[in-house]
Amino acid sequence: MNKTLPPEIAPVPFDRVSRLIRQLTHDVRNGLSAVDLEAAFIAELVDDAEASDELRKLRAMVANSARMLRDLSQNFQEVRLHRMPWAASIFFGELESRLFKQFPGVPDLHVRSELGEEQIDIDLDQLCLAVAALVENAVHFREEGGAITLTARAENGEVLLELREAKKAVENEIPPEEWGMEPFRSTRPGGYGLGLFRARRVIEAHGATLEIRHDGEYLVSCIALPIHLG
């Protein structure tokens, strides 16, 4: 008995997938907001301490789920930059402040700058988030006792941000040179494969490059931003 095989399904463009996910997460978050409002209304009606505690737990669970959906949706947002000239040293100072707030319990995270008066044309918030995504991966996968160092310097008409992680080996089927080049190829178990992809898109939208390599002792991620000449 001959069976008719279904035709091969063509790959769906990422922009169509992103529109679907953004709409889906928007709808689900609206539903969670409705659940949260209903729980708040019930809490006003119930005069029972134990029930009130359970309702608070329920609202916290709903809020956490909404945050997870929001973070997922942000990875699918179109990259739209609002750029303006910044002194590279000011940008790096802001980045350093944000990193130490985001990773307060990482004693082996070191940040150094050799920048002077160089100017860069950037969207400060989005570029900070992109660099923070690289640092987050480094913190998540760091070897015990391994230092993580982020340095900034100017060289050959570019501002170079270099992230170095002490790492003897990279155990991943995707070579570091290809990290973040395609969506849904995760560098971590259980990951979505979107964080580095989003970071790379933001960096490249600035006219910059991101190179990731392993040199035998360190995993090195280098962002090269063109200096703004005004």
Side-chain angles (χ1 to χ4, degrees):
M1 180 177 179
N2 293 327
K3 293 184 178 180
T4 303
L5 297 177
E8 183 177 349
I9 299 175
V12 180
F14 182 76
D15 63 336
R16 289 172 58 187
V17 174
S18 66
R19 286 197 297 270
L20 170 65
I21 298 298
R22 292 200 305 270
Q23 185 61 53
L24 178 61
T25 56
H26 176 269
D27 294 343
V28 175
R29 286 162 63 194
N30 281 344
L32 289 172
S33 294
V35 172
D36 183 59
L37 288 173
E38 184 66 19
F41 177 67
I42 294 172
E44 293 293 326
L45 298 177
V46 174
D47 185 17
D48 181 275
E50 185 175 352
S52 295
D53 286 342
E54 293 303 315
L55 284 168
R56 277 194 291 271
K57 292 178 185 178
L58 174 61
R59 295 190 68 189
M61 292 165 62
V62 168
N64 185 59
S65 297
R67 280 193 297 271
M68 291 173 62
L69 284 170
R70 180 201 62 203
D71 292 343
L72 175 62
S73 180
Q74 285 176 345
N75 283 322
F76 286 96
Q77 295 295 325
E78 296 179 26
V79 177
R80 295 180 179 177
L81 303 181
H82 300 284
R83 296 166 67 166
M84 62 180 292
W86 286 86
S89 58
I90 292 178
F91 156 72
F92 197 74
E94 175 64 20
L95 173 63
E96 180 180 6
S97 175
R98 295 188 187 196
L99 289 177
F100 284 115
K101 285 180 182 177
Q102 185 173 348
F103 308 106
V106 184
D108 297 320
L109 176 60
H110 309 288
V111 178
R112 296 198 305 267
S113 173
E114 301 171 9
L115 294 171
E117 300 300 319
E118 300 85 8
Q119 295 276 316
I120 49 178
D121 187 30
I122 60 169
D123 183 317
L124 186 142
D125 284 332
Q126 291 210 49
L127 190 56
C128 281
L129 288 172
V131 178
L134 299 177
V135 176
E136 181 181 10
N137 260 24
V139 170
H140 185 85
F141 289 112
R142 72 190 184 110
E143 295 178 352
E144 186 175 354
I148 301 169
T149 304
L150 178 65
T151 60
R153 68 184 186 277
E155 185 177 294
N156 298 326
E158 296 177 318
V159 167
L160 303 180
L161 306 178
E162 187 176 84
L163 180 67
R164 297 176 67 87
E165 313 164 40
K167 193 177 290 291
K168 296 178 182 177
V170 175
E171 298 178 358
N172 195 292
E173 62 181 16
I174 308 171
E177 293 80 6
E178 298 178 14
W179 288 0
M181 288 189 173
E182 294 182 30
F184 313 123
R185 295 182 71 195
S186 180
T187 60
R188 69 173 71 178
Y192 297 116
L194 291 170
L196 279 178
F197 177 67
R198 171 75 181 182
R200 186 180 284 277
R201 290 172 72 208
V202 169
I203 290 165
E204 292 178 350
H206 281 87
T209 59
L210 169 63
E211 294 183 359
I212 306 175
R213 68 183 188 277
H214 184 252
D215 65 8
E217 295 185 35
Y218 295 92
L219 183 64
V220 183
S221 304
C222 185
I223 300 170
L225 284 157
I227 290 176
H228 179 62
L229 301 178

